[in-house]
Amino acid sequence: MAKKISKKSILGIDIGGSGIKGALVDFETGVLVTDRHRLATPKPADPVSVGHTVKEIIRHFDYDGPVGIGFPARVIHGNVKTATNIDKSWIDTDAQKLFSGISGMPCFILNDADAAGMAELKYGSGKNVTGLVFMVTVGTGIGTAIFTDGVLVPNTELGHLRMFGDIAEAYASDAARTRINLTWKEWGSRFNEYLLYLEFLFTPDIFIIGGGISKKFSQFENQLKTQAKVVPAKLENQAGIVGAAAYALNMM
Ligand code: BGC
């Protein structure tokens, strides 16, 4: 069913390992003006199949305009450069060109954690916060976004720091929690070790924790022992969609 599009809204899409979610976002307030529409990530999640899923989401909203897309990899000028939790065929794909070509809409792509961080700084828990802000999004992987006095250092990929012989996200992501059936307390202690490691290396002023687990913050916050303040993402797991839309607005 066609949805009414206001001139104040932009379509944001968040591509994840299991789902691809989109919604129209009021870019003045950062509020979703439609329900989220979620489609399963195609299997295999090769570039053309994912491109068609993105097109279906755009069609669902009967949307005509710029589209912002958060993607779970390092993205440099629209080009995908890594593929940890996604199909390896993405490496060196010009995702911006591919999505724009398949959908016929101008698409703007950035790393998913960078998108979530942008949303939190503009509309959420990082609004008017100065200093060194670390956004950490936790899901299948761990994504990070660093802001210094509001300026993003893109594609930081600190979920790939080494911990106990593997990458940190293998130890402390939400996927690790479910894979080995950890309680929130057990997982919270692991996540605390990860945050302490980040703190040792970078001394941020504040950590903002995003992704699906942000809704469960009260279940593990007692395990977190950093000097820096730790807060959940105000936009919870909508931050990726909202930030992607804000990015598209900036790129127009
Ligand atoms: C990817 C990052 C991404 C994070 C969260 C990691 O595996 O390398 O680019 O931001 O997962 O999706």
Side-chain angles (χ1 to χ4, degrees), residues 184 187-188 191 213 216-224:
W184 281 110
W187 178 81
F191 189 56
I213 57 130
K216 303 280 184 186
F217 191 73
S218 62
Q219 309 250 29
F220 59 85
E221 69 172 313
N222 287 343
Q223 313 310 314
L224 307 180

Side-chain angles (χ1 to χ4, degrees), residues 71-74 82 84-85 111-113 137 141-144 157 160 169:
F71 196 84
R74 174 174 296 157
T82 53
T84 315
N85 293 310
N111 170 264
D112 56 355
T137 64
I142 292 182
T144 53
E157 294 289 350
H160 291 249
E169 68 180 20

Side-chain angles (χ1 to χ4, degrees), residues 174-229:
D174 197 34
R177 181 185 65 78
T178 48
R179 190 179 63 241
I180 47 181
N181 209 10
L182 296 172
T183 61
W184 281 110
K185 194 170 169 199
E186 288 164 338
W187 178 81
S189 306
R190 282 186 173 216
F191 189 56
N192 178 53
E193 289 176 84
Y194 174 63
L195 292 187
L196 286 172
Y197 188 21
L198 291 181
E199 180 160 66
F200 171 73
L201 294 172
F202 300 98
T203 331
D205 294 291
I206 182 170
F207 288 105
I208 303 174
I209 312 303
I213 57 130
S214 53
K215 284 193 228 153
K216 303 280 184 186
F217 191 73
S218 62
Q219 309 250 29
F220 59 85
E221 69 172 313
N222 287 343
Q223 313 310 314
L224 307 180
K225 315 279 184 213
T226 56
Q227 296 288 312
K229 199 169 156 192

Side-chain angles (χ1 to χ4, degrees), residues 3 25 27 34 39 43 45 49 55 65-66 71 82 95 115 125 127 148 151 165 179 191 197 199 230 232:
K3 302 265 172 5
V25 180
F27 53 76
T34 61
L39 295 175
K43 286 195 179 98
S49 307
K55 183 179 178 180
F71 196 84
T82 53
S125 300
K127 195 171 173 184
T148 170
V151 179
R179 190 179 63 241
F191 189 56
Y197 188 21
E199 180 160 66
V230 188

Side-chain angles (χ1 to χ4, degrees), residues 50-122:
V50 172
H52 283 283
T53 308
V54 163
K55 183 179 178 180
E56 264 187 67
I57 292 187
I58 297 173
R59 274 214 188 126
H60 168 86
F61 291 105
D62 194 17
Y63 178 81
D64 186 353
V67 182
I69 303 179
F71 196 84
R74 174 174 296 157
V75 182
I76 300 178
H77 308 302
N79 277 280
V80 175
K81 291 293 176 192
T82 53
T84 315
N85 293 310
I86 54 168
D87 198 90
K88 303 295 172 228
S89 58
W90 276 100
I91 293 181
D92 284 331
T93 298
D94 186 336
Q96 199 141 299
K97 202 166 158 193
L98 178 98
F99 290 143
S100 304
I102 293 179
S103 69
M105 295 296 150
C107 294
F108 301 96
I109 325 297
L110 77 166
N111 170 264
D112 56 355
D114 287 348
M118 283 170 72
E120 286 297 320
L121 258 80
K122 201 167 157 64

